[in-house]
Amino acid sequence: GSCVLTHLPSGVRVSGVDTATIHFKSTIEGSGLVDRLLEDGAPILSCAGGLMIEHPLVREHVDRIDGTEDSVMGLSKALVERLLGDLKEKLDER
């Protein structure tokens, strides 16, 4: 996901992008995962991309995640922390 931070009094702005890649096990093929999630009552139609990486039925098919889980869910904490540091540096240079 992407993020832009703006210091409103000065207009100083920083931005960045963080990506995450989910690698699934081959067990996902033919697993009926979507049907199982619907039967379980998982709110897959109300989450970004319909993917609930934290759901136990999904997690059992995840091999690994390149990146952070919070990035998969929408906003990388590490990216925000880095951008806050970058913004502070830019403001200190003024």
Side-chain angles (χ1 to χ4, degrees):
S2 60
C3 183
V4 177
L5 301 180
T6 304
H7 181 256
L8 294 177
S10 66
V12 173
R13 180 177 291 181
V14 294
S15 62
V17 176
D18 185 71
T19 60
T21 303
I22 305 166
H23 298 268
F24 289 98
K25 300 174 185 173
S26 60
T27 57
I28 198 161
E29 288 187 46
S31 68
L33 178 59
V34 173
D35 291 333
R36 290 172 57 206
L37 287 168
L38 289 171
E39 288 170 10
D40 188 56
I44 59 173
L45 299 178
S46 63
C47 66
L51 178 62
M52 299 174 62
I53 196 69
E54 70 278 11
H55 196 285
L57 292 175
V58 175
R59 181 149 321 268
E60 71 185 56
H61 297 288
V62 174
D63 182 42
R64 73 179 192 280
I65 300 173
D66 295 339
T68 62
E69 198 166 305
D70 56 317
S71 185
V72 171
M73 292 182 187
L75 182 61
S76 167
K77 294 174 196 169
L79 174 61
V80 172
E81 288 174 351
R82 182 178 60 81
L83 291 176
L84 285 169
D86 292 350
L87 185 59
K88 182 181 181 318
E89 282 181 28
K90 281 189 168 188
L91 291 170
D92 288 346
E93 292 172 359
R94 297 185 81 177

